[in-house]
Amino acid sequence: MKEYRINNGGQVASGVLRLHHAVSVGIIPMRALTNFSGHIYRTQALLLHLRPLRLSPVVLPLSLRFIAFWCVHWNWLFICDKKFTEYVSGSWWTNAILSAEYYCCYRPNPILQILYLTIVGATYYFTVQSSFAYFPSSYLGIQASWELLFLLTSFSDPGTVKAENVSQYLSAYPYDNIIYSEKECATCRIPKPARSKHCSICDHCVVCFDHNCRWMNNCIGERNTRFFMAFLIWHFILCVYGMVAIVLVLAGRLKELRVIHILTLYDDVESSFRGLAPHAAQWLLSSYNTQILLVVLLVAVSLLMVGFFGYHVKLCFINTTTNETFKWQDYMSLQRKVNEVKASAAALKAGINGLRHESRTPGSKWKSFFRRSPLKDAEVVVRNNIYDKGVIHNLCEVIFPFSSRSSFLQLKSKSL
């Protein structure tokens, strides 16, 4: 394989860029050519295309080694291999950062829970400090209800599959032999029920696995989906309540201080909404900027909550999960490609037969020009979800999951 040089600072050998020892503290910002593992896969055409850019290595001072490692690891800057990474940040820092990353991203931890509670606590503190004197006392009850739902979602069992209950789950959720088939979990070493998935973070199988919510530090599955949905809608109600309460407080301050009257009487402002709105907004931003920022934050969070809640309501209506949505997308995409291949093969066979027929009896060229594409005749892929048994039944299954019913315990004797 040929070697390519970039400003005499490095060379490409066997598809991997290796920097010379003379500039071993350099980095080349070519993020487009890297992947997360640190190895570089590129074609000769890409290298020839990037050669006119004349990318030169940038020498980093030793004080920036820690920042350079993070830039390298998160694929923002390009370096050669692990030895150079250890040279930039040191072997101790490399192991420490990789261990911290593994703990934060791939193991259960309360970091995002603490961050979330800190954000909520700070918002609540600034709301109390700036506007709590105008709020009714029932606001405390709403706050307590939200905390209860947060604890239920975070610490409740999501539907963990164990050797003691696997037979019940196998009877409760039959295989559809489409996206779920009978097999054993390679990690848990127990039969894997339908609609279950092994969570690599929590390290156990969860029935009706939706996703692993890092904000809750828990999986969302069969047993706690109801708590998660209630938390989302209650969080939305809490944000809307706080937003409306602060807006009413600001409107009350405008009325009590007679700001509108002063603007129209002494400042000669036109007494219309278009004329008064900019001046009233300017006064509010200068006098009550904390409340305005709280309103903006609450509006943004409430929109996120209602969007996320609406998405999960749609999933509950058709009795599916986020994980199953991706499975169905992969399955239907594969089936479409298979059907297109079959249709193309049939069309090719028909075309060959047609050419033989036309060679004997030539027909009109316009007829072949307006001929329908064979790909449009491909079989339509239908999503056959056997777990969708109607909206009412699906919602009952979410609110009252199988594992919480008394009949669930009787399934073991039937399956044995």
Side-chain angles (χ1 to χ4, degrees), residues 205-277:
C205 290
V206 177
V207 176
C208 294
F209 178 87
D210 189 272
H211 67 286
N212 184 281
C213 183
R214 305 315 305 272
W215 297 101
M216 302 292 177
N217 193 26
N218 197 7
C219 291
I220 305 301
E222 182 218 21
R223 295 182 64 91
N224 63 350
T225 298
R226 48 185 174 171
F227 302 138
F228 180 70
M229 298 287 291
F231 170 79
L232 290 178
I233 191 61
W234 207 253
H235 202 304
F236 169 73
I237 293 173
L238 180 64
C239 291
V240 172
Y241 179 85
M243 176 186 63
V244 172
I246 294 175
V247 169
L248 292 177
V249 167
L250 296 178
R253 298 302 295 168
L254 282 172
K255 184 177 180 180
E256 291 176 7
L257 299 177
R258 305 182 67 185
V259 175
I260 304 299
H261 177 73
I262 293 173
L263 288 175
T264 55
L265 184 62
Y266 296 102
D267 293 345
D268 296 331
V269 178
E270 182 182 355
S271 58
S272 63
F273 179 79
R274 178 176 296 181
L276 289 172

Side-chain angles (χ1 to χ4, degrees), residues 261-393:
H261 177 73
I262 293 173
L263 288 175
T264 55
L265 184 62
Y266 296 102
D267 293 345
D268 296 331
V269 178
E270 182 182 355
S271 58
S272 63
F273 179 79
R274 178 176 296 181
L276 289 172
H279 297 277
Q282 183 180 3
W283 179 80
L284 289 173
L285 286 172
S286 60
S287 303
Y288 298 95
N289 49 12
T290 302
Q291 287 88 337
I292 297 296
L293 290 175
L294 287 173
V295 169
V296 173
L297 175 64
L298 292 174
V299 168
V301 174
S302 61
L303 291 177
L304 290 174
M305 290 296 108
V306 72
F308 203 42
F309 176 78
Y311 171 73
H312 278 83
V313 166
K314 176 185 175 183
L315 295 181
C316 291
F317 281 170
I318 60 176
N319 200 2
T320 188
T321 63
T322 303
N323 176 58
E324 291 174 348
T325 301
F326 294 132
K327 284 180 174 291
W328 278 113
Q329 289 176 355
D330 295 339
Y331 169 78
M332 296 180 72
S333 176
L334 177 62
Q335 290 301 313
R336 289 192 191 99
K337 293 178 181 178
V338 171
N339 292 339
E340 288 177 359
V341 170
K342 291 180 179 179
S344 299
L348 179 60
K349 183 177 180 180
I352 294 174
N353 295 331
L355 288 176
R356 293 175 181 175
H357 179 71
E358 289 178 0
S359 62
R360 300 173 184 175
T361 57
S364 175
K365 295 182 179 180
W366 291 102
K367 186 177 180 180
S368 61
F369 180 77
F370 290 103
R371 185 176 299 165
R372 180 182 176 87
S373 173
L375 294 180
K376 294 182 179 180
D377 297 329
E379 183 181 354
V380 178
V381 181
V382 180
R383 178 172 171 173
N384 184 19
N385 184 11
I386 65 172
Y387 309 111
D388 184 3
K389 301 178 182 179
V391 175
I392 297 178
H393 186 278

